[in-house]
Amino acid sequence: MKTIYGANVVVFEGIMAFTSKELLKLMDLKVFVDTDSDVRLARRLRRDISERGRELEGVLKQYNTFVKPSFEHYIEPTMTYADIIVPRGGDNDVAINLIVLHVHTQLLARGFKLRNQLASAEHRFQPLPNTLCILEKTPQVHGIHTFIRNVETSRDEFIFYSKRLMRLLFEFALSMLPFREMTVETPQGIDYTGKKISNIKIAGVSILRAGETMEQALREVCKDVSIGKILIQTNLDTGEPELHYLRLPKNIKEYHIFLHDATVATGAAAMMAIRVLLDHDVPESSITLCSLLMAESGVHSVAYAFPKVKIVTTAVDKEVNEKFHILPGIGNFGDRFFGTDLTEN
């Protein structure tokens, strides 16, 4: 089995596909591929005799005793649920072309609009979710934002101040974790009662490429932290996120995960990354999404889809434009940090 993410069309196939009412509700188009009973018997005879070395009499007995009655009792009645019944299967070019045209029409009608829907203004007047934690806007934090938002800031300064902000962000995120009291003895032989993070293993997972820039800051505040990577890129034709690469620490379900990306606009990539973690048995409550800057639409989308995920950022901006850029924003973080496509930007 292979888990896929970001597919615009998912084909679910099987002779029992229409027997579950729950699955039927999820299907946009139900196709029953019908084949003449004589053809089905001929195919079974050829397969079982030539490939499985069975005798003709045994194949016919099994067919008449079990296969044919089971089809008539369990499979054939489900034809009533089908939107399209295709006779002659793969030889029916007309039916296949009609199905392809229908799927294509539906995709065009829906317009691959996931990110557009996520970026819509419907959340604008909603209160921010209580799972959101924003770093206190001290003069220091405000000053760093002034540097990294300034289009005139040089790349060296942008990297320097971004790293400062990343460290503050992870220090803040760590304070969200449960602590326990611990008493230690000082060099002067006096007991001191302090705090220590409860027995929690921490792992960082970067959403490439911009999230990778935050790994060093996480390592500076968490000793011996494990790091994973998820590469999610936007399809240039559809504008939708697609998963291209995945590498996660072993036994990741035992860790508290700091999932980090430099900026979160619509939240589409972050939600896909969270879905990947959940599919690897990471509890939703064990995920903290860390970002230097988020748009309100991204905050609401992530919080609505995953209400147990903690969201930690240093600032939240109001809007996302038609190109899914945060406004006022900081531009393309990856390009400014790595020095790529500077002329275009």
Side-chain angles (χ1 to χ4, degrees), residues 56-340:
L56 174 61
E57 183 178 350
V59 177
L60 290 173
K61 182 178 179 180
Q62 182 192 45
Y63 181 82
N64 290 316
T65 305
F66 299 107
V67 179
K68 188 173 182 290
S70 295
F71 173 81
E72 294 172 347
H73 182 74
Y74 295 106
I75 309 304
E76 194 170 37
T78 65
M79 293 175 67
T80 58
Y81 299 117
D83 301 311
I84 301 174
I85 297 176
V86 180
R88 296 183 291 108
D91 296 327
N92 195 331
D93 293 336
V94 174
I96 293 173
N97 290 333
L98 285 174
I99 293 171
V100 172
L101 179 61
H102 176 80
V103 172
H104 185 66
T105 301
Q106 289 297 311
L107 289 176
L108 289 177
R110 300 178 188 190
F112 307 104
K113 292 181 180 179
L114 170 63
R115 297 189 75 189
N116 286 320
Q117 292 171 357
L118 295 177
S120 66
E122 62 183 37
H123 300 303
R124 186 168 298 172
F125 303 106
Q126 298 286 336
L128 291 171
N130 57 16
T131 53
L132 172 68
C133 299
I134 305 175
L135 182 66
E136 182 183 357
K137 198 172 185 179
T138 63
Q140 177 185 201
V141 173
H142 202 173
I144 294 174
H145 268 276
T146 304
F147 273 105
I148 66 175
R149 289 176 184 263
N150 186 355
V151 69
E152 301 296 333
T153 297
S154 66
R155 178 175 171 238
D156 286 345
E157 286 187 317
F158 182 84
I159 293 173
F160 175 80
Y161 288 107
S162 295
K163 287 183 175 181
R164 281 189 62 191
L165 195 59
M166 291 171 189
R167 177 148 185 171
L168 292 173
L169 173 69
F170 283 123
E171 295 279 11
F172 182 51
L174 282 172
S175 70
M176 304 289 112
L177 297 180
F179 282 75
R180 59 184 174 88
E181 284 192 356
M182 182 177 182
T183 300
V184 296
E185 183 181 345
T186 69
Q188 287 73 30
I190 303 173
D191 287 347
Y192 172 81
T193 301
K195 296 283 187 180
K196 183 178 181 180
I197 293 180
S198 299
N199 295 324
I200 297 175
K201 295 192 295 184
I202 297 173
V205 176
S206 306
I207 301 177
L208 304 178
R209 72 174 169 164
E212 195 171 32
T213 64
M214 304 171 71
E215 293 176 4
Q216 180 182 344
L218 178 59
R219 288 192 174 102
E220 289 173 354
V221 299
C222 293
K223 187 176 182 295
D224 300 325
V225 64
S226 299
I227 297 292
K229 300 176 188 291
I230 300 177
L231 174 59
I232 297 173
Q233 292 184 326
T234 300
N235 185 303
L236 297 180
D237 295 324
T238 67
E240 299 305 320
E242 295 179 347
L243 176 67
H244 289 269
Y245 176 77
L246 176 65
R247 191 192 73 188
L248 298 176
K250 293 182 180 179
N251 302 320
I252 190 170
K253 63 182 180 181
E254 300 174 1
Y255 290 80
H256 185 95
I257 306 301
F258 283 157
L259 176 66
H260 38 89
D261 197 0
T263 60
V264 174
T266 64
M271 288 194 295
M272 181 178 287
I274 293 171
R275 183 70 261 172
V276 171
L277 294 175
L278 295 180
D279 287 344
H280 284 77
D281 298 323
V282 176
E284 187 175 319
S285 58
S286 296
I287 301 173
T288 299
L289 174 62
C290 302
S291 181
L292 296 180
L293 176 65
M294 299 185 70
E296 282 193 5
S297 57
V299 172
H300 283 293
S301 297
V302 173
Y304 177 80
F306 307 105
K308 295 181 181 179
V309 170
K310 183 76 71 176
I311 304 171
V312 182
T313 185
T314 70
V316 176
D317 284 357
K318 289 284 185 182
E319 299 181 53
V320 174
N321 66 13
E322 67 280 357
K323 294 183 179 180
F324 310 120
H325 296 161
I326 302 174
L327 301 179
I330 56 178
N332 187 307
F333 185 91
D335 285 341
R336 295 186 71 187
F337 193 96
F338 294 110
T340 55

Side-chain angles (χ1 to χ4, degrees), residues 22-40:
E22 288 75 16
L23 287 176
L24 287 174
K25 295 177 183 177
L26 300 176
M27 298 177 187
D28 296 298
L29 177 64
K30 297 177 284 294
V31 180
F32 191 101
V33 181
D34 191 25
T35 304
D36 185 81
S37 59
D38 292 338
V39 175
R40 294 199 301 268

